[in-house]
Amino acid sequence: MKICRTKADIRDTVRLWRLNGERVGVVPTMGFLHEGHLGLVRLARQKGDRVVTTIFVNPTQFGPNEDLATYPRDEARDLALLEAEGVDAVFIPSVEEMYGAGGDTYVEVPGLSDVLQGALRPGHFRGVTTVVTKLFNITTPDFAVFGEKDYQQITVIRRMVRDLDMPLEIVGHPTVREADGLAMSSRNVRLTPEHRAQAVALSRSLASAEALAKSAPSIKDLDAVIREELGKAPAAEVNSVDIRDAETLEDLSGELDRAAVILLAVRFGTVLLIDQRVIVPES
Ligand code: PAF
């Protein structure tokens, strides 16, 4: 596995592969890898001839009160995990290498970036779309893999790629789940055993909403069924239940008449869990 710390090095590496006609996939990450990331890497392996993983804790997507300084890092462990997955090259630039010269230009997807998480974290998605554009320009992949768990992120990135005619495919990887349905997250280990047992309420409520979607329900009915299921977990504090147009993320009301995404944020003690599911009404 080749470790590239400069843009020039990863560019040259990928250029040679592409000259050989090989299909290159990139998996952008901020490191401190877990099973969810490895799922993205495995999908990239299946779909391409070469896999590049990028590890970069991107300062421009953190707000002034967010945890950039304390963001967890473990480069040696990340590299060992990626090597074991058969990754061909890892791009690990410094902040200086990425943003040293310039840093005045941003890529922004207004609208989609300003709702939901974007409303809570102003500037976050602008930082994401800017660094992802840079990573695409540096690694020149045929495709890039992102997790569908961060639904708003992949939706914003898809829109950017479409609007700017970026010459690559965005591949979504379904949320990786524990045996009981809980979406995998590095936060799950911080749940108490009691909260861990109750946390299955998120995926159960999404399954109930999906079942209800077959009978042309109203958005209100869907919301009610989700909250009823979440209510069965006594420790669950519901932060938000959002039912939005799956593509535009616009708020929906009335009858479910198009593909919608349900986005949940539920707190158990100090741990905030998120989950999502796209539901489609039966025609
Ligand atoms: O999802 C992440 O880890 C980051 O937002 C990404 C896409 C690597 C950009 O920094």
Side-chain angles (χ1 to χ4, degrees):
M1 183 172 78
K2 183 152 191 209
I3 297 171
C4 303
R5 296 193 186 268
T6 65
K7 298 175 193 175
D9 199 6
I10 188 70
R11 261 204 195 109
D12 287 350
T13 304
V14 174
R15 192 172 38 233
L16 288 180
W17 294 337
R18 290 176 63 104
L19 277 174
N20 273 340
E22 291 178 304
R23 192 169 146 77
V24 180
V26 69
V27 181
T29 79
M30 298 210 298
F32 210 69
L33 305 177
H34 54 67
E35 206 37 50
H37 295 109
L38 301 183
L40 309 184
V41 168
R42 286 175 202 140
L43 181 58
R45 265 260 70 88
Q46 279 167 29
K47 285 188 70 80
D49 302 307
R50 298 285 186 172
V51 179
V52 176
T53 302
T54 69
I55 299 179
F56 180 62
V57 181
N58 172 37
T60 67
Q61 70 190 73
F62 287 79
N65 302 320
E66 292 178 359
D67 52 353
L68 173 62
T70 57
Y71 195 85
R73 296 161 206 245
D74 191 341
E75 186 181 303
R77 183 175 162 276
D78 287 349
L79 293 179
L81 286 170
L82 295 174
E83 177 112 59
E85 291 299 330
V87 164
D88 297 283
V90 183
F91 177 49
I92 319 187
S94 62
V95 172
E96 180 61 21
E97 175 71 7
M98 277 301 271
Y99 288 109
D104 297 325
T105 307
Y106 285 90
V107 178
E108 197 163 5
V109 183
L112 278 183
S113 298
D114 302 326
V115 295
L116 300 164
Q117 276 297 305
L120 301 173
R121 304 177 67 187
H124 168 71
F125 285 113
R126 184 173 88 148
V128 170
T129 41
T130 301
V131 81
V132 166
T133 300
K134 285 166 73 67
L135 290 170
F136 288 170
N137 286 338
I138 295 163
T139 61
T140 62
D142 296 285
F143 67 93
V145 185
F146 293 89
E148 285 169 0
K149 179 154 183 271
D150 288 324
Y151 189 86
Q152 188 172 6
Q153 172 168 282
I154 193 171
T155 305
V156 169
I157 291 170
R158 282 190 202 282
R159 178 69 65 88
M160 169 185 87
V161 165
R162 191 192 75 183
D163 287 356
L164 297 181
D165 303 301
M166 293 183 174
L168 80 161
E169 183 196 348
I170 300 299
V171 178
H173 186 281
T175 302
V176 184
R177 295 180 182 278
E178 304 284 356
D180 67 355
L182 176 65
M184 277 193 192
S185 159
S186 39
R187 295 172 179 181
N188 294 353
V189 293
R190 291 172 31 219
L191 292 165
T192 63
E194 191 194 337
H195 290 172
R196 170 64 190 84
Q198 291 182 28
V200 70
L202 278 87
S203 59
R204 284 211 181 124
S205 70
L206 294 173
S208 302
E210 192 170 31
L212 185 65
K214 295 191 169 65
S215 53
S218 68
I219 301 297
K220 268 195 183 147
D221 291 342
L222 284 166
D223 185 82
V225 97
I226 293 165
R227 288 179 191 273
E228 187 188 322
E229 202 62 54
L230 291 174
K232 292 181 188 162
E237 278 172 60
V238 181
N239 260 37
S240 56
V241 174
D242 286 291
I243 305 175
R244 303 272 174 141
D245 181 293
E247 201 182 323
T248 64
L249 299 183
E250 276 162 45
D251 222 347
L252 294 177
S253 58
E255 226 179 64
L256 178 73
D257 58 0
R258 66 190 85 173
V261 62
I262 303 170
L263 300 161
L264 302 181
V266 179
R267 190 172 287 284
F268 285 89
T270 57
V271 184
L272 183 69
L273 299 180
I274 60 165
D275 204 349
Q276 57 79 26
R277 185 156 314 183
V278 173
I279 54 169
V280 183
E282 218 143 87
S283 46

